[in-house]
Amino acid sequence: MCGIAGIFDLKGERVGDLPRVLGVMARLLAHRGPDGEGIWTAPDGALGFAHRRLTIIDLSSAGRQPMLDAAGRVVTYNGEIYNHLELRRSFAGRWQFRSQSDTECILAAYDAYGLDCLQQLRGMFAFALWDPARRRLFCARDRFGIKPFYYAEIDGRLIFASEIKALLPLLPAIETDTTALAEYLTFQYTIGEHTLFKGVKQLLPGQALTVENGRVRIWRYWDVHYAVDHGMRAADAVARLRSLVDDSVAVHLRSDVPVGAYLSGGVDSSLVSILAAEHESGARLGFHGKFTDYPGYDESRYARIAAAASRTTLHELSITADDFRANAGRVIYHLDQPVAGPGAFPQFMVSGLAAKHVKVVLGGQGGDEIFGGYARYLIAYFEQCIKAAIEGTYRNGNFVVTAESIIPNLTVLQEYQPLMRQFWSKGMFGPMDARYFRLIDRSADMESEVDWSELDREPVFAAFQAIFNNERNVRKEAYFDSMTHFDFKCLLPALLHVEDRMSMAHGIESRVPLLDHALVEFAAMVPADVKFKDGHMKHLLKIGFADKLPEAIANRRDKMGFPVPFKEWLSGDLRDMVQDIFRSERARSRPFLRPEAVLAAVDNAERFSRKLWGLLSLELWQQQFHDQAHRFRAMLEHAPNQVGQVAD
């Protein structure tokens, strides 16, 4: 896990002060790699790479980056290639390895396969590779977007980095992208290549980029396809699932430094920790954050059960309103842009705790999107069951659930009654895409707080439909597959954004064993009525590992997903902080938000509502970046000279 950055003049012209500029970019990424820095510049001065190193595999100087091979190719890379040992064996005899690092395996794979090397890589990665013989810049991001890659074209130059903040000193201005803002206000994340910073884009998960002869080309090298095997039996699915998950956990434990685990008390993180403990190199330390000031937010009991089952020493952190007051700005700074709900804050706090003990932490991200762990899937199906029962049609086809089978599972929806009231207040029994959009649309109750006159909402729904209804990925399969596919493509990268930034803020690496591409491809083949039988969330995962998961965790019906007592804080301990933020002169003068309406919404907010967090995050983001634009520009003006350097 590291930080990367680079500059490439598309016309091949020399970039002035290139090492110095790269040094500024590297310093803005220093938290991602506290163990070392490297800068390389091409002989013609038209290209340069920067790297910040976090040592995980091959702790010696041989693993330094940017890394050169004997042919003069150079790579700067962030991530982990978990099959590096297998790749090393496969290249024996045709590649002379000079290190034990996984980085060198990227160079070896490129030497053997060219651009098709991406199909050989198993893991999380974002890299840039320069091939001087072809004068080709080759960049790529892993299949799921675990590792970030941002870029912009400025004055005929392509600039890129692991985090947007490293690009800001080079932007002509810091402005808001209104297309991305409309998406953010709708979902609390963006769903395409645009970011909230105008002019800055991201490579999407599973995409690659090349620059040759001044031309930038972007393509998708991997995608998930729900080619469902309707003849698959549950017993066969369980056997294959166990094999794939066990194997993924094993390779995710490969490390030259100690490994720990996040323990939320939910199914996914508990399972990962329990399976890891079966290996000699398994995680022996667990980390959990809890809120104890208000009832209904403390999940530590379940984290302790998981720790006992995995023979893990659990470190717990009590998180308070004072912690939020002290760290809210830091959270937004490290996120670069607000995203994915208030869970980023406790994730930041727990990552800080973990960093005191380990360099690598395993987590359970991906399980909800792959195996169906969100209560809204149940809400959506309940509506379809009612509709089908009224019309007498659900016994005519391959319905995943029926009204009779789903009712016993509805007790998990007790905390979701406000969402259901809003969901059924308009458009009931409408088209499935429109109904799911309404379930995930967080802007429906923000008419007063947001000035929509300057934003165009129609393209947001069109962009949603293009993904939700894309028959290249989900043909005429179940509603369940369309819902989970959208969340896999759009929500999951936002959650991984949080996972990456909150861990890297403290210089530790977060790994997600449930996101292995062989496992994801298999899960996409499993029929929905096996994964979501009778409306049982994560049914396949739970029956597949029934002998591993403690019953109290497998059968719990109150999992909340790192809930934060945000409503209680804003009404009490943090009321003065929020009042000061939204009544400031700057907040009042900004476009898009109406501060007084935001403050009025505090007293009427529902428990677990994300609206106030989303709006507060937006204002804090403007403070951190728009109001500090001069600080980023000044970094270039006052940066010291720096000499380019490379590994031996």
Side-chain angles (χ1 to χ4, degrees):
M1 192 79 71
C2 303
I4 66 172
I7 302 174
F8 184 38
D9 190 278
L10 299 177
K11 295 180 179 179
E13 298 176 356
R14 178 174 293 275
V15 179
D17 288 335
L18 183 56
R20 187 170 67 90
V21 177
L22 291 168
V24 171
M25 299 174 80
R27 280 192 290 280
L28 284 164
L29 299 173
H31 52 280
R32 296 186 69 90
D35 298 330
E37 177 183 350
I39 290 176
W40 169 85
T41 56
D44 63 3
L47 169 67
F49 291 162
H51 187 267
R52 291 292 313 200
R53 187 183 186 197
L54 179 67
T55 52
I56 302 294
I57 302 292
D58 189 348
L59 310 186
S60 73
S61 61
R64 284 198 308 151
Q65 296 186 52
M67 182 179 285
L68 275 72
D69 67 13
R73 290 172 293 221
V74 192
V75 67
T76 183
Y77 147 71
N78 164 35
E80 296 293 348
I81 305 301
Y82 296 119
N83 63 331
H84 67 97
L85 297 179
E86 291 79 4
L87 288 173
R88 188 177 293 273
R89 287 193 292 269
S90 72
F91 295 134
R94 55 177 175 169
W95 182 271
Q96 187 65 43
F97 282 93
R98 297 187 291 178
S99 75
Q100 297 300 312
S101 73
D102 57 326
T103 307
E104 192 172 2
C105 289
I106 296 176
L107 289 167
Y110 179 80
D111 179 73
Y113 298 102
L115 300 181
D116 290 336
C117 69
L118 296 171
Q119 305 303 329
Q120 307 299 316
L121 304 181
R122 178 185 185 184
M124 55 181 184
F125 54 83
F127 67 78
L129 188 153
W130 172 243
D131 183 343
R134 294 178 173 81
R135 293 200 59 80
R136 171 199 286 163
L137 177 67
F138 171 37
C139 307
R141 190 180 183 195
D142 66 68
R143 296 168 178 84
F144 313 118
I146 306 170
K147 295 292 100 195
F149 189 99
Y150 297 98
Y151 67 96
E153 288 189 45
I154 306 294
D155 297 329
R157 292 169 181 168
L158 181 76
I159 60 175
F160 65 86
S162 296
E163 296 183 10
I164 298 173
K165 60 178 64 67
L167 306 179
L168 298 184
L170 304 178
L171 296 184
I174 294 179
E175 299 177 296
T176 299
D177 184 303
T178 55
T179 298
L181 180 59
E183 291 179 355
Y184 169 74
L185 289 169
T186 302
F187 306 113
Q188 287 198 358
Y189 51 83
T190 59
I191 64 174
E193 64 179 3
H194 291 272
T195 73
L196 287 177
F197 292 88
K198 187 176 181 179
V200 177
K201 297 180 180 180
Q202 62 175 329
L203 274 185
L204 295 177
Q207 283 191 339
L209 175 155
T210 55
V211 183
E212 293 184 85
N213 301 316
R215 186 172 71 91
V216 178
R217 180 173 77 96
I218 296 173
W219 77 98
R220 180 174 291 280
Y221 68 88
W222 183 89
D223 206 350
V224 61
H225 297 280
Y226 291 72
V228 176
D229 179 1
H230 290 289
M232 184 183 297
R233 297 182 307 158
D236 296 332
V238 164
R240 182 62 175 151
L241 172 71
R242 287 182 68 111
S243 174
L244 289 169
V245 174
D246 286 339
D247 180 61
S248 182
V249 170
V251 299
H252 277 75
L253 286 168
R254 291 176 174 177
S255 171
D256 292 338
V257 296
V259 179
Y262 293 122
L263 283 176
S264 70
V267 168
D268 304 326
S269 65
S270 299
L271 178 62
V272 166
S273 180
I274 290 167
L275 295 178
E278 297 179 354
H279 298 266
E280 185 177 345
S281 58
R284 301 298 179 224
L285 296 177
F287 306 98
H288 176 76
K290 58 185 179 181
F291 300 95
T292 58
D293 291 341
Y294 301 94
Y297 294 93
D298 183 1
E299 299 188 275
S300 59
R301 178 172 78 89
Y302 297 103
R304 291 173 195 143
I305 293 172
S310 59
R311 304 184 302 281
T312 297
T313 300
L314 184 65
H315 294 268
E316 298 181 32
L317 178 68
S318 293
I319 306 172
T320 68
D322 286 339
D323 292 322
F324 185 87
R325 189 187 299 272
N327 293 289
R330 295 177 64 198
V331 169
I332 298 300
Y333 174 79
H334 281 288
L335 286 175
D336 277 339
Q337 57 182 10
V339 63
F345 162 61
Q347 186 80 13
F348 176 86
M349 299 299 299
V350 176
S351 295
L353 171 65
K356 297 177 182 178
H357 301 275
V358 296
K359 266 191 170 182
V360 176
V361 189
L362 304 181
Q365 287 285 17
D368 288 324
E369 294 78 15
I370 298 170
F371 298 105
Y374 291 121
R376 61 176 170 270
Y377 303 149
L378 197 56
I379 297 172
Y381 262 106
F382 187 35
E383 178 182 86
Q384 294 303 313
C385 284
I386 297 171
K387 178 182 180 182
I390 292 171
E391 297 175 350
T393 58
Y394 72 65
R395 295 193 185 281
N396 297 342
N398 181 28
F399 246 70
V400 173
V401 298
T402 63
E404 295 90 343
S405 67
I406 201 172
I407 287 175
N409 295 307
L410 297 183
T411 55
V412 302
L413 300 178
Q414 290 179 16
E415 292 288 352
Y416 295 88
Q417 293 181 55
L419 173 61
M420 289 187 285
R421 281 196 298 270
Q422 180 198 350
F423 178 53
W424 283 318
S425 67
K426 184 179 180 181
M428 193 172 184
F429 300 153
M432 288 184 178
D433 56 359
R435 297 309 288 154
Y436 193 62
F437 181 83
R438 184 163 179 81
L439 264 179
I440 61 176
D441 181 4
R442 300 188 182 277
S443 68
D445 63 343
M446 287 197 288
E447 295 301 323
S448 299
E449 296 87 357
V450 177
D451 181 0
W452 292 101
S453 65
E454 299 188 52
L455 297 170
D456 189 354
R457 305 169 81 171
E458 288 188 12
V460 178
F461 183 60
F464 162 83
Q465 284 183 305
I467 299 168
F468 190 89
N469 297 330
N470 190 339
E471 294 189 3
R472 291 193 304 273
N473 297 104
V474 183
R475 294 191 286 271
K476 297 297 182 181
E477 311 299 350
Y479 191 19
F480 179 83
D481 290 328
S482 293
M483 292 189 289
T484 55
H485 171 249
F486 178 83
D487 287 345
F488 180 84
K489 279 286 184 68
C490 300
L491 171 60
L492 180 60
L495 297 174
L496 293 170
H497 178 137
V498 172
E499 187 90 10
D500 173 79
R501 303 311 192 281
M502 296 300 91
S503 58
M504 293 308 312
H506 300 282
I508 62 172
E509 175 175 287
S510 179
R511 297 180 176 181
V512 283
L514 295 181
L515 288 175
D516 185 69
H517 70 275
L519 174 58
V520 171
E521 289 166 355
F522 160 73
M525 295 172 57
V526 178
D529 58 352
V530 174
K531 287 184 286 192
F532 196 60
K533 182 177 175 59
D534 295 335
H536 287 282
M537 295 186 293
K538 296 184 186 173
H539 176 70
L540 176 60
L541 197 64
K542 289 177 182 178
I543 64 169
F545 291 95
D547 61 325
K548 306 286 186 181
L549 285 166
E551 185 177 352
I553 291 175
N555 295 329
R556 66 176 296 197
R557 299 206 163 201
D558 60 343
K559 183 69 182 85
M560 293 174 282
F562 232 155
V564 180
F566 206 55
K567 170 179 169 56
E568 290 85 348
W569 282 353
L570 294 188
S571 301
D573 300 299
L574 299 178
R575 192 177 188 89
D576 59 336
M577 171 186 168
V578 176
Q579 295 274 340
D580 290 344
I581 288 172
F582 282 105
R583 287 195 170 138
S584 69
E585 184 177 345
R586 285 187 180 274
R588 290 172 177 273
S589 65
R590 298 193 204 282
F592 310 123
L593 292 191
R594 299 186 179 107
E596 288 300 331
V598 174
L599 291 174
V602 169
D603 295 328
N604 299 320
E606 299 279 0
R607 191 166 180 251
F608 302 127
S609 170
R610 293 187 175 188
K611 176 169 71 171
L612 295 176
W613 164 258
L615 298 176
L616 175 61
S617 297
L618 192 60
E619 173 56 27
L620 291 175
W621 171 70
Q622 304 238 40
Q623 290 182 7
Q624 287 287 330
F625 294 101
H626 288 249
D627 295 350
Q628 298 296 320
H630 62 283
R631 181 169 66 88
F632 291 99
R633 287 194 295 269
M635 290 179 180
L636 280 181
E637 298 173 9
H638 303 298
N641 291 323
Q642 189 151 350
V643 178
Q645 53 186 322
V646 297
D648 296 332

